[in-house]
């Protein structure tokens, strides 16, 4: 039996298999470039204190070597008494936690009971294990239920740990050094918050994939306190007071048909109908918006414009900023407008 288990047949042996090393080296030397795995960056952590759980996360979102978002949210809602920090692929963490949150809400409606942390852990583990690590979600799960406070780590392959303190992400080693040095049982809430904040700061200042601000989430039997931007250790030292003014034509248009409009004011959360033709007054509730339209025609287009109309809805900010809003986004202040119609539009205040 032993000879059959430990025979010379390589298919019956365990351990690593390096059969393709020479092949890959040959292909690489011939000019074939292999795609490298995307490096993700995050520092998330959590600890159990005497009255509950404290979760923490940084707010930097990266796209390779580029910082995509300086103030994103990495602490996700699972249930009223359960939250989850996510590291890895942002889309995967948001999709997985959102799916589990929906399933737990249906479970609460069916059972008329509070969700248990172990239930959410089992659902997460089952889902991730089914995909064998193809879902890039590394999670720190914390909550408080009838059995007290709970803290778990969930790995992308579906394995999990139950620990009094835990870290995940590319900055986890720096954060773990803080926990292993100063964690003790019986911490009160303020001490726990300070320790978690220190662990996240260690990741922020020692890991290039982590940065910006510190978010905390305190979960006790009395409820949840989500402390968004609890600390901002990387405040901007300089900001232009004028903002940025890019002349029209800086960005190449994807479509040749477009319209321009100049507006003095646009009402907040109101839909303004803009029709072709001469300047006209558009009255919506107590707001009055005066719009003048200018049409520009590409030489390739027919000499006659089709009759059409489009709508603009201001969904953030009662005034359009100075500058240009293209296809719903302002480069100056981030105000957004929804543009619906047959033609692309430029909307700028004068």
């Amino acid at each position: 039996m032993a000879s059959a288990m430990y025979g010379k047949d390589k298919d019956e042996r365990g351990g690593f298999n390096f059969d393709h090393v020479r092949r890959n080296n040959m292909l690489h030397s011939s000019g074939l470039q292999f795609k490298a795995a995307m490096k993700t960056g995050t520092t998330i952590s959590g600890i159990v204190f005497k009255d509950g759980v404290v979760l923490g996360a940084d707010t930097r979102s990266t796209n390779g070597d580029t910082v995509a978002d300086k103030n994103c949210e990495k602490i996700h809602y699972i249930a009223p008494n359960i939250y989850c920090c996510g590291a890895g692929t942002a889309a995967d963490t948001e999709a997985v936690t959102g799916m589990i949150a929906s399933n737990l809400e249906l479970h609460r409606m069916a059972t008329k009971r509070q969700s248990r942390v172990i239930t959410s852990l089992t659902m997460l583990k089952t889902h991730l294990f089914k995909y064998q690590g193809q879902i890039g979600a590394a999670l720190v799960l914390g909550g408080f239920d009838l059995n007290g406070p709970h803290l778990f780590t969930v790995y992308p392959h579906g394995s999990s740990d139950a620990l009094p303190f835990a870290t995940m992400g590319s900055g986890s080693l720096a954060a773990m050094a803080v926990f292993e040095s100063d964690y003790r049982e019986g911490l009160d809430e303020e001490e726990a918050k300070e320790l978690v904040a220190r662990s996240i700061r260690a990741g922020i200042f020692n890991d290039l994939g982590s940065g910006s601000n510190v978010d905390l989430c305190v979960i006790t039997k009395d409820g949840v306190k989500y402390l968004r931007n609890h600390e901002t250790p990387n405040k901007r030292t300089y900001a232009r007071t004028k903002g940025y003014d890019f002349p029209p034509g800086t960005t190449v248009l994807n479509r040749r048909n477009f319209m321009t409009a100049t507006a003095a004011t646009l009402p907040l959360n109101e839909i303004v109908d803009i029709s072709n033709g001469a300047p006209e007054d558009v009255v919506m509730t107590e707001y009055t918006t005066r719009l003048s339209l200018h049409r520009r025609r590409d030489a390739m287009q027919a000499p006659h414009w089709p009759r059409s109309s489009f709508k603009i809805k201001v969904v953030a900010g009662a005034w359009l900023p100075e500058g240009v809003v293209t296809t719903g986004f302002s480069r100056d202040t981030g105000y957004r407008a929804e543009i619906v119609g047959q033609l692309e539009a430029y909307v700028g205040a004068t």
Side-chain angles (χ1 to χ4, degrees):
M1 190 68 180
S3 61
M5 182 176 296
Y6 299 102
K8 294 183 179 180
D9 188 356
K10 65 181 180 180
D11 294 333
E12 296 179 359
R13 293 181 301 171
F16 295 100
N17 189 331
F18 299 98
D19 288 349
H20 296 312
V21 172
R22 292 183 179 179
R23 183 205 66 176
N24 293 341
N25 290 335
M26 182 271 295
L27 292 174
H28 182 72
S29 61
S30 64
L32 179 64
Q33 297 295 328
F34 296 100
K35 290 185 178 180
M38 176 67 71
K39 296 182 179 179
T40 59
T42 286
T43 301
I44 55 177
S45 63
I47 64 173
V48 177
F49 67 101
K50 65 178 183 179
D51 295 323
V53 175
V54 178
L55 302 176
D58 72 303
T59 62
R60 172 176 289 182
S61 174
T62 57
N63 181 16
D65 296 331
T66 304
V67 176
D69 189 351
K70 297 180 180 180
N71 197 28
C72 68
E73 295 185 26
K74 300 182 182 181
I75 303 179
H76 306 282
Y77 169 87
I78 299 292
N81 60 317
I82 307 170
Y83 278 74
C84 182
C85 302
T89 306
D92 289 344
T93 58
E94 292 185 6
V96 169
T97 54
M99 180 192 67
I100 300 302
S102 299
N103 291 339
L104 282 178
E105 184 172 3
L106 294 174
H107 188 266
R108 288 194 302 274
M109 294 171 63
T111 61
K112 307 298 182 184
R113 296 178 180 178
Q114 183 188 58
S115 297
R116 296 191 182 188
V117 185
I118 192 66
T119 305
S120 61
L121 172 68
T122 305
M123 296 170 71
L124 284 168
K125 290 178 57 174
T126 303
H127 181 72
L128 292 177
F129 177 76
K130 183 168 60 175
Y131 288 90
Q132 294 290 295
Q134 297 298 321
I135 297 177
L139 311 172
V140 174
L141 179 69
F144 194 103
D145 56 23
L146 75 165
N147 294 317
H150 302 273
L151 183 68
F152 300 100
T153 58
V154 186
Y155 294 85
H157 289 80
S159 61
S160 64
D161 295 322
L163 301 166
F165 55 89
T167 64
M168 294 286 275
S170 57
S172 60
L173 296 180
M176 182 57 74
V178 174
F179 284 160
E180 291 184 341
S181 175
D182 295 331
Y183 177 81
R184 58 181 172 81
E185 293 184 354
L187 292 172
D188 60 27
E189 181 177 330
E190 291 302 320
E191 291 174 332
K193 287 164 56 178
E194 173 58 26
L195 186 58
V196 173
R198 281 179 51 205
S199 71
I200 300 301
R201 288 201 305 271
I204 287 174
F205 292 114
N206 293 282
D207 173 46
L208 290 178
S210 308
S212 296
N213 308 320
V214 178
D215 287 351
L216 296 182
C217 182
V218 183
I219 308 172
T220 64
K221 64 179 180 180
D222 299 323
V224 175
K225 289 184 287 187
Y226 193 120
L227 306 176
R228 176 72 168 148
N229 292 345
H230 176 67
E231 293 184 2
T232 55
N234 292 298
K235 293 184 179 179
R236 293 184 63 179
T237 58
Y238 171 75
R240 286 173 52 118
T241 57
K242 179 184 176 182
Y244 296 92
D245 186 14
F246 298 99
T250 301
T251 303
V252 179
L253 294 176
N254 293 327
R255 301 186 184 182
R256 290 177 296 184
N257 288 348
F258 63 91
M259 301 179 66
T260 61
T262 58
T265 62
L266 285 177
L268 178 64
N269 293 328
E270 297 287 344
I271 296 179
V272 179
D273 290 307
I274 304 176
S275 301
N276 298 332
E280 60 183 3
D281 292 337
V282 180
V283 180
M284 299 289 292
T285 64
E286 70 269 24
Y287 300 98
T288 301
T289 303
R290 186 171 187 87
L291 302 156
S292 83
L293 304 182
H294 305 278
R295 311 194 68 170
R296 301 178 65 178
R297 181 171 59 84
D298 189 276
M300 299 291 292
Q301 298 298 312
H304 301 291
W305 285 89
R307 292 289 295 178
S308 63
S309 63
F310 61 96
K311 298 179 180 180
I312 297 176
K313 179 181 179 182
V314 180
V315 293
W319 292 77
L320 275 179
E322 182 178 1
V324 175
V325 177
T326 61
T327 61
F329 181 68
S330 165
R331 290 187 293 256
D332 293 331
T333 63
Y335 290 168
R336 299 186 67 85
E338 180 183 2
I339 299 182
V340 183
Q342 298 179 11
L343 302 176
E344 294 292 319
Y346 276 171
V347 181
T350 57

